[in-house]
Coordinates of all heavy atoms in Angstrom, one line a residue:
M1 N 87.1 94.0 103.4 CA 87.4 92.6 103.3 C 86.9 92.1 102.0 O 86.1 92.7 101.3 CB 86.7 91.9 104.5 CG 87.4 92.1 105.8 SD 89.2 92.0 105.7 CE 89.5 90.3 105.4
W2 N 87.3 90.8 101.7 CA 86.8 90.1 100.5 C 85.5 89.5 100.8 O 85.2 89.0 101.9 CB 87.8 89.0 100.2 CG 89.2 89.6 99.7 CD1 90.2 89.9 100.6 CD2 89.6 89.8 98.4 NE1 91.2 90.4 99.9 CE2 90.9 90.3 98.5 CE3 89.1 89.6 97.2 CZ2 91.6 90.7 97.4 CZ3 89.7 90.0 96.1 CH2 91.1 90.5 96.2
T3 N 84.6 89.5 99.7 CA 83.3 88.9 99.8 C 83.3 87.8 98.8 O 84.0 87.9 97.7 CB 82.2 89.9 99.5 OG1 82.4 90.5 98.3 CG2 82.2 91.0 100.6
E4 N 82.6 86.7 99.1 CA 82.4 85.7 98.1 C 81.1 85.6 97.6 O 80.1 85.4 98.3 CB 82.8 84.3 98.8 CG 82.8 83.1 97.8 CD 83.5 81.9 98.3 OE1 84.3 82.1 99.3 OE2 83.4 80.8 97.7
T5 N 80.9 85.9 96.3 CA 79.6 85.9 95.6 C 79.8 85.4 94.2 O 80.9 85.7 93.6 CB 79.0 87.3 95.5 OG1 79.9 88.2 94.9 CG2 78.6 87.8 96.9
D6 N 78.8 84.8 93.6 CA 78.9 84.3 92.2 C 80.2 83.6 91.9 O 80.8 83.8 90.9 CB 78.7 85.5 91.3 CG 77.4 86.3 91.4 OD1 76.4 85.6 91.8 OD2 77.4 87.4 91.3
N7 N 80.5 82.7 92.8 CA 81.7 81.8 92.7 C 83.0 82.6 92.5 O 83.9 82.3 91.7 CB 81.6 80.9 91.5 CG 80.5 79.8 91.8 OD1 80.4 79.4 92.9 ND2 79.6 79.5 90.7
S8 N 83.1 83.8 93.0 CA 84.4 84.6 93.0 C 84.6 85.3 94.3 O 83.6 85.6 95.0 CB 84.2 85.7 91.9 OG 84.1 85.0 90.6
L9 N 85.8 85.7 94.6 CA 86.1 86.5 95.7 C 86.2 88.0 95.2 O 86.8 88.2 94.1 CB 87.5 86.2 96.3 CG 87.6 84.8 96.9 CD1 89.1 84.6 97.5 CD2 86.6 84.6 98.1
H10 N 85.6 88.9 95.8 CA 85.5 90.3 95.3 C 86.0 91.3 96.3 O 85.8 91.0 97.6 CB 84.0 90.7 95.1 CG 83.3 89.9 94.1 ND1 82.9 90.4 92.9 CD2 82.8 88.6 94.1 CE1 82.3 89.5 92.2 NE2 82.2 88.4 92.9
R11 N 86.8 92.3 95.9 CA 87.2 93.4 96.8 C 87.6 94.5 95.9 O 88.2 94.3 94.8 CB 88.3 92.9 97.7 CG 88.7 94.0 98.8 CD 89.6 93.6 99.8 NE 89.7 94.6 100.8 CZ 90.4 94.6 101.9 NH1 91.2 93.5 102.1 NH2 90.5 95.6 102.8
S12 N 87.4 95.8 96.4 CA 87.9 97.0 95.8 C 88.8 97.7 96.7 O 88.7 97.6 97.9 CB 86.7 97.9 95.4 OG 85.9 97.3 94.4
F13 N 89.7 98.5 96.1 CA 90.7 99.3 96.9 C 90.7 100.6 96.3 O 90.6 100.9 95.1 CB 92.1 98.7 96.8 CG 92.3 97.3 97.4 CD1 92.1 96.2 96.6 CD2 92.6 97.1 98.7 CE1 92.2 94.9 97.1 CE2 92.7 95.8 99.2 CZ 92.6 94.7 98.4
R14 N 90.9 101.6 97.2 CA 90.9 103.0 96.7 C 92.4 103.6 97.2 O 92.8 103.3 98.3 CB 89.9 103.9 97.4 CG 89.9 105.3 96.9 CD 88.8 106.2 97.5 NE 87.4 105.6 97.3 CZ 86.8 105.8 96.2 NH1 87.2 106.7 95.3 NH2 85.5 105.3 96.0
F15 N 93.0 104.2 96.3 CA 94.4 104.8 96.5 C 94.4 106.3 96.4 O 93.4 106.9 96.0 CB 95.4 104.1 95.6 CG 95.5 102.7 95.8 CD1 94.8 101.8 95.0 CD2 96.3 102.1 96.7 CE1 94.8 100.4 95.2 CE2 96.4 100.8 96.9 CZ 95.6 99.9 96.1
A16 N 95.5 106.9 96.8 CA 95.6 108.4 96.7 C 95.4 109.0 95.4 O 94.7 110.0 95.2 CB 97.0 108.8 97.3
D17 N 95.8 108.3 94.3 CA 95.7 108.8 93.0 C 95.9 107.7 92.0 O 96.2 106.5 92.4 CB 96.7 110.0 92.7 CG 98.1 109.6 93.2 OD1 98.5 108.4 93.0 OD2 98.9 110.4 93.6
F18 N 95.8 108.1 90.7 CA 96.0 107.0 89.6 C 97.3 106.4 89.6 O 97.5 105.2 89.4 CB 95.7 107.7 88.3 CG 95.9 106.7 87.1 CD1 95.0 105.7 86.9 CD2 96.9 106.9 86.3 CE1 95.2 104.8 85.8 CE2 97.2 106.0 85.2 CZ 96.3 105.0 85.0
K19 N 98.4 107.2 89.8 CA 99.7 106.7 89.7 C 100.0 105.6 90.8 O 100.6 104.6 90.6 CB 100.8 107.8 89.9 CG 101.1 108.5 88.6 CD 102.1 109.6 88.8 CE 103.5 109.0 89.2 NZ 104.5 110.0 89.4
T20 N 99.4 105.8 92.0 CA 99.6 104.9 93.1 C 98.8 103.7 92.8 O 99.2 102.5 93.0 CB 99.1 105.6 94.4 OG1 99.8 106.8 94.6 CG2 99.3 104.7 95.6
A21 N 97.6 103.8 92.2 CA 96.8 102.6 91.8 C 97.6 101.8 90.8 O 97.6 100.6 90.9 CB 95.5 103.1 91.3
F22 N 98.2 102.5 89.9 CA 98.9 101.8 88.8 C 100.2 101.1 89.3 O 100.5 99.9 89.0 CB 99.2 102.7 87.7 CG 99.4 102.0 86.3 CD1 98.3 102.0 85.5 CD2 100.5 101.4 86.0 CE1 98.4 101.3 84.2 CE2 100.6 100.7 84.8 CZ 99.6 100.7 83.9
A23 N 100.9 101.7 90.3 CA 102.1 101.1 90.8 C 101.6 99.9 91.7 O 102.3 98.8 91.6 CB 102.7 102.1 91.8
F24 N 100.5 100.0 92.4 CA 100.0 98.9 93.1 C 99.6 97.7 92.1 O 100.1 96.6 92.3 CB 98.6 99.3 93.8 CG 97.7 98.2 94.1 CD1 98.0 97.3 95.2 CD2 96.6 98.1 93.5 CE1 97.1 96.3 95.5 CE2 95.6 97.0 93.8 CZ 96.0 96.2 94.8
L25 N 99.1 98.0 91.0 CA 98.8 96.9 90.0 C 100.0 96.3 89.5 O 100.1 95.1 89.2 CB 97.9 97.5 88.9 CG 96.4 97.7 89.2 CD1 95.7 98.4 88.2 CD2 95.7 96.3 89.5
T26 N 101.1 97.0 89.3 CA 102.3 96.5 88.8 C 102.9 95.4 89.9 O 103.3 94.4 89.5 CB 103.4 97.6 88.6 OG1 102.8 98.5 87.6 CG2 104.7 97.1 88.2
D27 N 102.8 95.8 91.1 CA 103.2 94.9 92.2 C 102.3 93.7 92.3 O 102.8 92.6 92.5 CB 103.3 95.6 93.5 CG 104.5 96.6 93.6 OD1 105.4 96.5 92.6 OD2 104.5 97.4 94.5
V28 N 101.0 93.9 92.1 CA 100.1 92.8 92.0 C 100.5 91.8 90.9 O 100.4 90.5 91.1 CB 98.6 93.2 91.9 CG1 97.7 92.0 91.6 CG2 98.2 93.9 93.2
A29 N 100.9 92.3 89.7 CA 101.2 91.4 88.6 C 102.4 90.5 89.0 O 102.4 89.3 88.7 CB 101.6 92.3 87.4
A30 N 103.3 91.1 89.8 CA 104.5 90.3 90.2 C 104.1 89.2 91.1 O 104.5 88.1 91.0 CB 105.5 91.2 90.9
E31 N 103.1 89.4 92.0 CA 102.6 88.5 92.9 C 101.8 87.4 92.2 O 101.9 86.2 92.5 CB 101.7 89.1 94.0 CG 102.4 89.9 95.0 CD 103.4 89.1 95.8 OE1 102.9 88.3 96.7 OE2 104.6 89.0 95.6
A32 N 101.1 87.9 91.2 CA 100.3 86.9 90.4 C 101.3 85.9 89.6 O 101.0 84.7 89.6 CB 99.4 87.6 89.4
E33 N 102.3 86.4 89.2 CA 103.3 85.6 88.5 C 104.0 84.6 89.4 O 104.2 83.5 89.2 CB 104.3 86.5 87.7 CG 103.8 87.1 86.5 CD 103.4 86.2 85.4 OE1 104.2 85.5 84.9 OE2 102.1 86.0 85.2
R34 N 104.3 85.2 90.6 CA 105.0 84.3 91.6 C 104.1 83.2 92.1 O 104.5 82.1 92.2 CB 105.3 85.2 92.9 CG 105.9 84.5 94.1 CD 106.3 85.4 95.2 NE 105.1 86.0 95.8 CZ 104.4 85.3 96.8 NH1 104.7 84.1 97.2 NH2 103.4 85.9 97.4
L35 N 102.8 83.5 92.2 CA 101.8 82.5 92.6 C 101.2 81.6 91.5 O 100.4 80.7 91.6 CB 100.7 83.1 93.4 CG 101.1 83.8 94.7 CD1 99.9 84.6 95.3 CD2 101.6 82.8 95.7
D36 N 101.6 82.0 90.2 CA 101.0 81.5 89.0 C 99.4 81.4 89.1 O 98.8 80.4 88.9 CB 101.5 80.1 88.7 CG 101.0 79.6 87.4 OD1 100.8 80.4 86.5 OD2 100.8 78.3 87.2
H37 N 98.9 82.6 89.5 CA 97.4 82.7 89.7 C 97.1 84.1 89.5 O 97.7 85.0 90.1 CB 97.0 82.3 91.1 CG 95.6 81.8 91.2 ND1 95.1 80.7 90.5 CD2 94.5 82.4 91.9 CE1 93.8 80.6 90.8 NE2 93.5 81.6 91.6
H38 N 96.2 84.4 88.5 CA 96.0 85.7 88.0 C 94.6 86.3 88.2 O 93.6 85.5 88.0 CB 96.4 85.7 86.5 CG 97.8 85.2 86.3 ND1 98.1 83.9 86.3 CD2 98.9 85.9 86.2 CE1 99.4 83.8 86.1 NE2 99.9 85.0 86.0
P39 N 94.5 87.5 88.6 CA 93.1 88.1 88.9 C 92.5 88.7 87.7 O 93.1 89.1 86.7 CB 93.5 89.2 89.9 CG 94.8 89.7 89.4 CD 95.5 88.5 89.0
W40 N 91.2 88.7 87.8 CA 90.4 89.6 86.9 C 90.4 91.0 87.7 O 90.2 91.0 88.9 CB 89.0 89.2 86.7 CG 88.1 90.2 85.9 CD1 87.8 90.2 84.7 CD2 87.5 91.3 86.5 NE1 87.0 91.3 84.3 CE2 86.8 92.0 85.4 CE3 87.3 91.9 87.8 CZ2 86.0 93.2 85.6 CZ3 86.6 93.1 87.9 CH2 86.0 93.7 86.9
F41 N 90.8 92.2 87.0 CA 90.7 93.4 87.7 C 90.2 94.4 86.8 O 90.2 94.4 85.6 CB 92.0 93.8 88.3 CG 93.1 94.1 87.3 CD1 93.1 95.4 86.8 CD2 93.9 93.1 86.7 CE1 94.1 95.8 85.8 CE2 94.9 93.5 85.8 CZ 95.0 94.8 85.4
S42 N 89.6 95.5 87.4 CA 89.2 96.7 86.7 C 89.7 97.9 87.4 O 89.8 97.9 88.7 CB 87.7 96.8 86.6 OG 87.3 98.0 86.1
N43 N 90.2 99.0 86.7 CA 90.7 100.2 87.3 C 90.1 101.4 86.8 O 90.0 101.5 85.4 CB 92.2 100.2 87.1 CG 92.9 101.6 87.3 OD1 93.4 102.2 86.4 ND2 92.7 102.1 88.5
E44 N 89.6 102.3 87.6 CA 89.2 103.6 87.1 C 89.8 104.6 88.0 O 89.5 104.6 89.3 CB 87.7 103.7 87.1 CG 87.2 105.0 86.5 CD 85.6 105.0 86.4 OE1 84.9 104.6 87.3 OE2 85.1 105.4 85.3
Y45 N 90.7 105.4 87.5 CA 91.4 106.5 88.2 C 92.1 105.9 89.5 O 93.1 105.2 89.3 CB 90.5 107.7 88.6 CG 91.3 108.7 89.4 CD1 92.4 109.3 88.8 CD2 90.8 109.2 90.6 CE1 93.1 110.3 89.5 CE2 91.6 110.1 91.3 CZ 92.7 110.7 90.7 OH 93.5 111.6 91.4
N46 N 91.6 106.1 90.7 CA 92.3 105.6 91.9 C 91.7 104.4 92.6 O 92.0 104.0 93.7 CB 92.5 106.7 92.9 CG 91.1 107.2 93.5 OD1 90.1 107.0 92.8 ND2 91.2 107.6 94.7
V47 N 90.7 103.8 91.8 CA 90.0 102.6 92.4 C 90.3 101.4 91.6 O 90.3 101.4 90.3 CB 88.4 102.9 92.4 CG1 87.7 101.6 92.9 CG2 88.2 104.0 93.4
V48 N 90.6 100.3 92.2 CA 90.9 99.0 91.6 C 90.0 97.9 92.2 O 89.8 97.8 93.4 CB 92.4 98.6 91.8 CG1 92.6 97.2 91.1 CG2 93.3 99.6 91.3
E49 N 89.3 97.2 91.3 CA 88.4 96.2 91.7 C 88.9 94.8 91.3 O 89.4 94.7 90.1 CB 87.0 96.4 91.0 CG 85.9 95.4 91.3 CD 84.6 95.5 90.6 OE1 84.5 96.6 89.9 OE2 83.7 94.6 90.6
F50 N 88.8 93.8 92.1 CA 89.3 92.4 91.8 C 88.1 91.5 91.9 O 87.2 91.6 92.7 CB 90.3 92.0 92.8 CG 91.6 92.7 92.7 CD1 92.0 93.7 93.5 CD2 92.5 92.3 91.7 CE1 93.2 94.4 93.4 CE2 93.7 93.0 91.6 CZ 94.1 94.0 92.4
R51 N 88.2 90.4 91.0 CA 87.4 89.2 91.1 C 88.3 88.0 91.0 O 89.0 88.0 90.0 CB 86.3 89.2 90.1 CG 85.3 90.3 90.3 CD 84.2 90.2 89.3 NE 83.3 91.4 89.2 CZ 82.8 91.8 88.0 NH1 82.9 91.1 87.0 NH2 82.2 93.0 88.0
L52 N 88.3 87.1 92.0 CA 89.2 86.0 91.9 C 88.5 84.7 91.8 O 87.5 84.5 92.6 CB 90.1 86.0 93.2 CG 90.9 87.3 93.6 CD1 91.7 87.1 94.8 CD2 91.7 87.8 92.4
R53 N 88.9 83.8 90.9 CA 88.4 82.5 90.8 C 89.4 81.7 90.1 O 90.2 82.2 89.4 CB 87.0 82.4 90.1 CG 87.0 82.9 88.8 CD 85.6 83.0 88.2 NE 85.6 83.5 86.8 CZ 84.5 83.5 86.0 NH1 83.3 83.2 86.5 NH2 84.6 84.0 84.7
T54 N 89.3 80.4 90.2 CA 90.3 79.5 89.6 C 89.7 78.8 88.3 O 88.8 78.0 88.4 CB 90.7 78.4 90.6 OG1 91.2 79.0 91.8 CG2 91.7 77.4 90.0
H55 N 90.3 79.2 87.2 CA 89.8 78.7 85.9 C 90.0 77.1 85.8 O 89.1 76.4 85.4 CB 90.5 79.3 84.7 CG 90.6 80.8 84.9 ND1 89.5 81.6 85.2 CD2 91.7 81.7 84.8 CE1 89.9 82.8 85.3 NE2 91.2 82.9 85.0
D56 N 91.1 76.7 86.4 CA 91.5 75.2 86.2 C 90.5 74.4 87.1 O 90.5 73.2 87.0 CB 92.9 75.0 86.7 CG 93.9 75.7 85.8 OD1 93.5 76.0 84.7 OD2 95.1 75.9 86.2
A57 N 89.8 75.0 87.9 CA 88.8 74.3 88.8 C 87.4 74.6 88.4 O 86.5 74.6 89.3 CB 89.0 74.7 90.3
G58 N 87.2 74.9 87.1 CA 85.9 75.2 86.6 C 85.3 76.5 87.1 O 84.1 76.7 87.4
N59 N 86.2 77.6 87.3 CA 85.8 78.9 87.7 C 85.1 78.8 89.1 O 84.1 79.5 89.3 CB 84.9 79.5 86.7 CG 85.6 80.0 85.5 OD1 86.8 80.3 85.6 ND2 85.0 80.0 84.4
A60 N 85.7 78.0 90.0 CA 85.3 78.0 91.4 C 86.3 78.7 92.2 O 87.5 78.9 91.8 CB 85.1 76.5 91.8
V61 N 85.9 79.1 93.5 CA 86.9 79.6 94.4 C 87.7 78.5 95.0 O 87.2 77.5 95.6 CB 86.2 80.5 95.5 CG1 87.2 81.0 96.5 CG2 85.5 81.7 94.8
T62 N 89.1 78.6 95.0 CA 89.9 77.6 95.6 C 90.9 78.3 96.6 O 91.0 79.5 96.7 CB 90.7 76.8 94.6 OG1 91.7 77.7 94.0 CG2 89.8 76.2 93.5
R63 N 91.8 77.5 97.2 CA 92.7 78.0 98.2 C 93.7 78.9 97.4 O 94.4 79.9 98.0 CB 93.5 77.0 99.0 CG 94.2 75.9 98.2 CD 94.5 74.8 99.1 NE 95.1 75.2 100.3 CZ 96.5 75.2 100.5 NH1 97.2 74.8 99.6 NH2 96.9 75.6 101.6
R64 N 93.9 78.7 96.1 CA 94.8 79.6 95.3 C 94.3 81.0 95.3 O 95.0 81.9 95.3 CB 94.9 79.0 93.9 CG 95.6 77.7 93.9 CD 95.7 77.1 92.4 NE 96.7 77.9 91.7 CZ 96.9 77.6 90.4 NH1 96.4 76.6 89.8 NH2 97.9 78.4 89.7
D65 N 92.9 81.2 95.2 CA 92.3 82.5 95.2 C 92.5 83.1 96.5 O 92.8 84.3 96.6 CB 90.8 82.4 94.8 CG 90.6 81.7 93.5 OD1 91.1 82.3 92.5 OD2 90.0 80.6 93.4
H66 N 92.3 82.4 97.6 CA 92.5 82.9 99.0 C 94.0 83.3 99.2 O 94.3 84.4 99.7 CB 92.1 82.0 100.0 CG 90.5 81.8 100.0 ND1 89.8 82.7 100.6 CD2 89.8 80.8 99.6 CE1 88.5 82.3 100.6 NE2 88.4 81.2 99.9
R67 N 94.9 82.6 98.6 CA 96.4 82.9 98.7 C 96.6 84.2 98.0 O 97.3 85.1 98.5 CB 97.2 81.7 98.3 CG 97.7 80.8 99.3 CD 98.9 80.1 98.8 NE 98.8 79.4 97.6 CZ 98.5 78.1 97.5 NH1 98.2 77.4 98.6 NH2 98.3 77.6 96.3
L68 N 96.1 84.3 96.7 CA 96.3 85.5 95.9 C 95.6 86.7 96.7 O 96.2 87.8 96.7 CB 95.7 85.3 94.6 CG 95.8 86.5 93.6 CD1 97.4 87.0 93.5 CD2 95.2 86.2 92.2
A69 N 94.5 86.5 97.2 CA 93.8 87.6 97.9 C 94.6 88.1 99.1 O 94.8 89.3 99.3 CB 92.4 87.1 98.5
A70 N 95.2 87.2 99.8 CA 96.1 87.7 101.0 C 97.3 88.4 100.4 O 97.7 89.4 101.0 CB 96.6 86.5 101.7
A71 N 97.9 88.0 99.3 CA 99.0 88.6 98.7 C 98.6 90.1 98.2 O 99.4 91.0 98.4 CB 99.6 87.8 97.6
I72 N 97.5 90.2 97.6 CA 96.9 91.4 97.1 C 96.7 92.4 98.4 O 97.1 93.6 98.3 CB 95.7 91.3 96.4 CG1 95.9 90.6 95.0 CG2 95.0 92.6 96.2 CD1 94.7 90.2 94.2
D73 N 96.2 91.9 99.5 CA 96.0 92.7 100.6 C 97.3 93.3 101.1 O 97.4 94.4 101.5 CB 95.3 91.9 101.7 CG 93.9 91.6 101.5 OD1 93.3 92.3 100.7 OD2 93.3 90.7 102.2
A74 N 98.4 92.5 101.1 CA 99.7 92.9 101.6 C 100.3 94.0 100.7 O 100.8 95.0 101.2 CB 100.6 91.8 101.7
V75 N 100.1 93.8 99.4 CA 100.6 94.9 98.4 C 99.7 96.1 98.6 O 100.3 97.3 98.6 CB 100.5 94.3 97.0 CG1 100.9 95.4 96.0 CG2 101.4 93.2 96.8
A76 N 98.5 96.0 98.8 CA 97.6 97.2 99.0 C 98.0 98.0 100.2 O 98.1 99.2 100.2 CB 96.1 96.8 99.1
A77 N 98.3 97.3 101.3 CA 98.8 98.0 102.5 C 100.0 98.7 102.2 O 100.2 99.9 102.7 CB 99.0 97.0 103.6
R78 N 101.0 98.2 101.4 CA 102.2 98.8 101.2 C 102.0 100.0 100.3 O 102.8 101.0 100.4 CB 103.1 97.8 100.4 CG 103.7 96.7 101.3 CD 105.1 96.1 100.7 NE 105.0 95.7 99.4 CZ 104.6 94.4 99.0 NH1 104.4 93.6 99.9 NH2 104.6 94.1 97.8
H79 N 101.0 100.1 99.6 CA 100.6 101.3 98.8 C 99.6 102.2 99.4 O 99.1 103.1 98.8 CB 100.2 100.8 97.4 CG 101.3 100.2 96.5 ND1 102.1 101.0 95.8 CD2 101.7 99.0 96.4 CE1 103.0 100.2 95.1 NE2 102.8 99.0 95.5
G80 N 99.4 102.0 100.7 CA 98.5 103.0 101.4 C 97.1 102.9 101.0 O 96.4 104.0 101.0
A81 N 96.5 101.8 100.7 CA 95.1 101.7 100.4 C 94.3 102.3 101.5 O 94.5 102.1 102.6 CB 94.7 100.2 100.1
E82 N 93.2 103.1 101.1 CA 92.4 103.8 102.1 C 91.4 102.8 102.7 O 91.1 101.8 102.1 CB 91.7 105.0 101.4 CG 92.7 106.0 100.9 CD 92.1 107.0 99.9 OE1 90.8 106.9 99.8 OE2 92.8 107.9 99.4
Ligands
H2B1 C1 99.3 77.1 83.1 C2 99.0 78.0 84.2 O1 99.7 77.5 85.4 C3 97.5 78.1 84.6 O2 96.8 78.5 83.4 C4 97.2 79.0 85.8 C5 97.6 80.5 85.4 N1 96.8 81.4 86.1 C6 95.5 81.1 86.6 N2 94.8 82.1 87.2 C7 93.6 81.8 87.6 N3 92.8 82.8 88.2 N4 93.0 80.6 87.5 C8 93.7 79.5 87.0 O3 93.2 78.4 87.0 C9 95.1 79.8 86.6 N5 95.8 78.8 86.0

């Protein structure tokens, strides 16, 4: 699940391999564009880490972050996140 610390929502996902993680990130990019809300993320091999906050709200967590988090969860499930 997502945790809220330091004014951000945080979550990491692990996938079968790098290619799957990268395909996941490609689909996350489409969701970020659809929602006009973009994550900070980091990827190393099959692990992707997210931090979500709203820059337009002074880097606070808003409902836009929660909406993007839910969209990311749905994409992660489609890509078989462990
Ligand atoms: C102009 C554009 O709508 C804004 O810059 C959007 C783009 N994506 C964004 N992403 C995030 N994380 N926070 C924002 O405030 C934000 N604002």
Side-chain angles (χ1 to χ4, degrees):
M1 287 318 289
W2 294 84
T3 58
E4 186 163 345
T5 55
D6 302 326
N7 294 322
S8 298
L9 297 180
H10 299 253
R11 187 170 187 178
S12 292
F13 298 91
R14 183 181 302 274
F15 298 93
D17 52 30
F18 175 70
K19 275 182 63 177
T20 307
F22 206 96
F24 159 72
L25 282 169
T26 300
D27 288 349
V28 168
E31 288 295 284
E33 287 297 294
R34 177 176 69 82
L35 295 171
D36 188 30
H37 203 65
H38 303 81
W40 175 96
F41 69 88
S42 172
N43 161 244
E44 185 173 44
Y45 182 54
N46 66 331
V47 177
V48 181
E49 179 185 353
F50 290 99
R51 293 184 196 146
L52 309 181
R53 60 187 183 174
T54 303
H55 313 313
D56 295 344
N59 289 331
V61 174
T62 68
R63 61 196 306 262
R64 296 180 67 181
D65 300 297
H66 289 284
R67 266 205 303 267
L68 178 58
I72 290 171
D73 286 344
V75 174
R78 291 205 300 272
H79 288 273
E82 294 168 5

